[in-house]
Amino acid sequence: MFPSLFISHGSPMLALEPGASGPALARLAAELPKPKAIVIVSAHWESNELLVNGNPQPETWHDFGGFPAALFAVQYPAPGEPQLAAEVVELLKTAGLVASIDAKQPFDHGVWVPLSLMYPQANIPVVQISLPSRQGPALQTRVGRALASLREQGVLLIGSGSITHNLRELDWHAGPESVEPWAKAFRDWAIDKLAANDEAALHDYRQQAPHAARSHLSDEHLLPLYFARGAGGDFSIAHQGFTMGALGMDIYRFG
């Protein structure tokens, strides 16, 4: 059975400058059998209601600005899988969650940046689920649990976000050894609660975690963690690190 993964996808420049995360993602992919498909939740497709990407050939969306031309030239032409998208909608429906198909959505960088480092041949079908970010952690836990059975069918489930994400406080010149104490405190709290399987505390992170509001000005980059946890099994750490002083780059494995 496949695990589920939470990947901190970092800056879009990770696609060109993979640092320590690129080899960690490549190793993780090499350790697993080749999935027959990938189902992914990204911080960058926010929505009001649950949507599932049924696009048979999603375009590579460069959903950012101010980066080098070489980054805008990167393409990730992985196919979609409309049949799997329909199955995802039915699994969500069975779990009491209403979802519908979006047949036109492209791949945002929360999808193609980490997948380009894991599966650079772009030959594995990918189905993306939207993030109703205003509905909080509990919904993502439910979505993950609703789709957990896909792991037994050779499908890799991924939540793509960031364990800490406050772009206002990044030091773009900081080395990998430079870590802001507040960001580390939040990351360490999250690891402790994940290891303890303390769902109530994790769902209430805004009230219970140290420096929660500073680590996440809004929820969207942490919410994919709850999807991965809901879909998976026992928690383990595949990679740890920070870039730019405060941008968490951790990768977690569930199962």
Side-chain angles (χ1 to χ4, degrees), residues 25-216:
L25 288 168
R27 283 194 303 272
L28 191 53
E31 290 170 3
L32 299 171
K34 182 180 177 180
K36 75 173 189 180
I38 295 167
V39 171
I40 187 166
V41 172
S42 162
H44 294 281
W45 184 18
E46 295 183 77
S47 62
N48 291 321
E49 305 297 336
L50 277 170
L51 300 170
V52 180
N53 191 353
N55 190 339
Q57 194 63 62
E59 295 181 3
T60 304
W61 183 20
H62 300 86
D63 53 328
F64 44 72
F67 289 97
L71 186 58
F72 290 89
V74 175
Q75 296 292 313
Y76 193 75
E81 181 53 83
Q83 185 174 344
L84 177 58
E87 182 179 352
V88 166
V89 169
E90 288 303 310
L91 287 170
L92 293 170
K93 181 180 178 181
T94 300
L97 297 168
V98 177
S100 57
I101 295 288
D102 183 323
K104 298 182 179 180
Q105 182 70 16
F107 290 144
D108 62 67
H109 77 271
V111 175
W112 61 262
V113 167
L115 292 186
S116 70
L117 298 171
M118 294 182 75
Y119 302 107
Q121 294 180 333
N123 59 355
I124 299 171
V126 178
V127 170
Q128 184 177 3
I129 305 171
S130 74
L131 186 69
S133 51
R134 294 183 181 181
Q135 297 189 44
L139 174 64
Q140 287 306 303
T141 298
R142 289 182 66 194
V143 172
R145 287 190 177 135
L147 303 183
S149 63
L150 292 174
R151 295 167 51 216
E152 301 173 7
Q153 302 175 32
V155 177
L156 180 60
L157 304 182
I158 297 175
S160 175
S162 188
I163 193 61
T164 60
H165 189 265
N166 183 344
L167 302 185
R168 298 178 186 175
E169 297 210 38
L170 298 185
D171 178 354
W172 292 81
H173 303 290
E177 71 288 342
S178 175
V179 181
E180 291 290 337
W182 56 267
K184 182 178 184 299
F186 179 89
R187 190 276 309 273
D188 291 350
W189 178 91
I191 287 175
D192 286 345
K193 299 306 178 187
L194 289 165
N197 202 27
D198 190 342
E199 184 170 288
L202 288 163
H203 283 183
D204 192 35
Y205 87 95
R206 286 227 167 254
Q207 300 302 318
Q208 297 193 32
H211 311 289
R214 194 174 186 184
S215 297
H216 289 278

Side-chain angles (χ1 to χ4, degrees), residues 6-11 43-44 159-167 186 215-216 218-225 241-243 246-250 252:
F6 171 69
I7 297 171
S8 298
H9 60 244
S11 159
H44 294 281
S160 175
S162 188
I163 193 61
T164 60
H165 189 265
N166 183 344
L167 302 185
F186 179 89
S215 297
H216 289 278
S218 52
D219 288 338
E220 79 286 338
H221 272 79
L222 193 63
L223 291 178
L225 171 64
F242 285 87
T243 60
L247 185 61
M249 297 301 296
D250 285 17
Y252 304 146

